[in-house]
Amino acid sequence: MKNVLVIGSTGQIGSELTMELRKRYSGNIVAGYIPGAEPKGELLETGPSAIVDITNEQQIAETVSKYNIDTIYNLAALLSAVAETKPQLAWKIGMGGLFNVLEVAREMHCAVFTPSSIGVFGNNTPKDKTPQDTIRNPRTMYGVTKVSGELLSDYYHIRFGVDTRSVRFPGLISNVTPPGGGTTDYAVDIYYAAVQRGHFECPIAKGTYMDMMYMPDALKAAIELMEVDASRLVHRNSFNIASMSFDPEIIYHAIRKRLPDFTMEYNVDPLRQAIADSWPNSLDDTCAREEWGWKPEYDLETMTDDMLRVLEARFKK
């Protein structure tokens, strides 16, 4: 029996994570949402849902109490490119919201997972095989909130004993949830474009390497980290995890092997390119592998096979 609240359950990761948790656990797996982003379909029908605005501490506490929640997955955030256009709101949700979650967790004895990101790193960070413990000096509001969130989560563990854990997600590629304004979302868009239109305008420049991960591996990481015995953890907030690293040309040619008529041209978005240029090319995830047995299941080839299979079945009926 496990009772879990997923805040931001209808977002990029949240909908798929909520469904995966419901497959794995009995108990209340509550889909927390804000008005205007209500759960639909299977997400609505397979378990409880509740209005949970992360900026409302009382609302969080009432939901935790009602459903006897023992674990909170805090997924509320504005993604990187969107956060640059709304920095005040990004801080309010990313940091004010996290503070509310941690306070509720402290008072009501919940474990907390809050995803971090490769966005915590900046131009002074080693670009290749970025170490677990290294300089974190982001120049985006998204990155600033993620670094601050790592530090605040560690503080609540050290000071109050709250069981806080997180991973630094790379770019996430999903065949279920459409892209939502992240810098790495071109690697989702390109598959949809290949299947639906046969052509893609790439907003990220050739030669720009970024770490990426297929969503099933991201869900696996989020759940497995929360399941591991705390005595094994040296780090908590936050673990590097890695799966694959590529630039737009590499993913383009992986798709062309399967769809030979697919074409691509570059139309670089200066905002997203500047963000991408400040991020690592690849991460060293040795600590995650050693401390809790992290191991991805997908690489570029197996992910591409699966993405195209699912999208072609959906759009070419």
Side-chain angles (χ1 to χ4, degrees):
M1 178 71 75
K2 197 170 184 70
N3 297 320
V4 181
L5 170 60
V6 181
I7 301 176
S9 66
T10 59
Q12 184 190 30
I13 308 171
S15 57
E16 293 178 67
L17 178 61
T18 304
M19 294 305 302
E20 186 64 27
L21 289 165
R22 287 175 177 170
K23 290 176 189 174
R24 295 192 184 210
Y25 301 132
S26 61
N28 295 315
I29 310 298
V30 182
Y33 67 95
I34 57 173
E38 292 82 1
K40 297 180 176 68
E42 191 179 25
L43 184 62
L44 177 63
E45 296 161 3
T46 56
S49 57
I51 297 176
V52 181
D53 184 336
I54 199 169
T55 65
N56 187 329
E57 183 179 340
Q58 182 178 349
Q59 208 169 63
I60 300 168
E62 289 172 353
T63 305
V64 167
S65 177
K66 178 179 179 180
Y67 292 99
N68 196 28
I69 298 297
D70 53 66
T71 304
I72 300 172
Y73 280 85
N74 165 31
L75 305 180
L78 296 188
L79 295 181
S80 54
V82 177
E84 285 304 285
T85 66
K86 301 176 180 179
Q88 294 87 354
L89 182 61
W91 180 266
K92 182 179 180 181
I93 293 172
M95 289 309 301
L98 174 59
F99 190 87
N100 291 338
V101 169
L102 292 172
E103 273 295 289
V104 171
R106 178 179 69 83
E107 294 170 358
M108 306 181 79
H109 309 291
C110 301
V112 177
F113 177 92
T114 302
S116 189
S117 164
I118 58 173
V120 300
F121 301 117
N123 291 320
N124 295 336
T125 303
K127 289 284 190 183
D128 297 304
K129 284 292 183 181
T130 303
Q132 171 69 37
D133 301 307
T134 188
I135 297 167
R136 292 170 294 168
N137 63 333
R139 294 293 181 264
T140 66
M141 179 52 75
Y142 179 72
V144 168
T145 61
K146 289 303 183 184
V147 169
S148 304
E150 290 185 7
L151 295 171
L152 188 62
S153 296
D154 274 336
Y155 173 80
Y156 264 76
H157 172 66
I158 295 164
R159 179 70 175 81
F160 301 116
V162 178
D163 185 0
T164 57
R165 309 181 189 192
S166 69
V167 298
R168 292 173 182 145
F169 279 132
L172 298 182
I173 299 173
S174 168
N175 61 41
V176 175
T177 310
T183 300
T184 56
D185 276 349
Y186 89 88
V188 184
D189 286 333
I190 192 171
Y191 287 106
Y192 281 79
V195 171
Q196 294 181 291
R197 300 186 299 277
H199 179 73
F200 181 60
E201 280 196 12
C202 186
I204 299 297
K206 179 179 180 180
T208 306
Y209 283 78
M210 287 184 280
D211 253 318
M212 302 283 183
M213 182 173 291
Y214 200 27
M215 187 63 81
D217 277 333
L219 304 180
K220 183 167 100 91
I223 294 171
E224 288 182 355
L225 175 57
M226 297 306 289
E227 289 179 339
V228 74
D229 191 300
S231 65
R232 293 181 58 185
L233 300 179
V234 178
H235 299 84
R236 280 179 171 270
N237 300 282
S238 179
F239 283 95
N240 285 356
I241 56 172
S243 175
M244 62 190 94
S245 177
F246 52 76
D247 82 328
E249 286 290 307
I250 291 174
I251 190 172
Y252 166 61
H253 286 292
I255 295 171
R256 283 246 349 212
K257 279 198 290 187
R258 295 152 176 88
L259 299 174
D261 294 332
F262 178 51
T263 59
M264 183 176 78
E265 64 181 306
Y266 288 95
N267 183 12
V268 175
D269 175 355
L271 173 60
R272 295 190 189 206
Q273 186 63 42
I275 296 172
D277 287 341
S278 73
W279 288 356
N281 299 330
S282 61
L283 300 182
D284 182 345
D285 61 357
T286 301
C287 291
R289 291 173 183 265
E290 291 178 349
E291 292 178 38
W292 50 278
W294 160 246
K295 186 178 180 182
E297 295 180 357
Y298 288 88
D299 60 15
L300 177 59
E301 296 299 324
T302 53
M303 177 182 72
T304 298
D305 285 337
D306 198 56
M307 281 289 291
L308 294 178
R309 176 186 62 81
V310 171
L311 295 179
E312 286 179 331
R314 183 183 306 159
F315 295 118
K316 295 194 173 182
K317 292 178 181 177

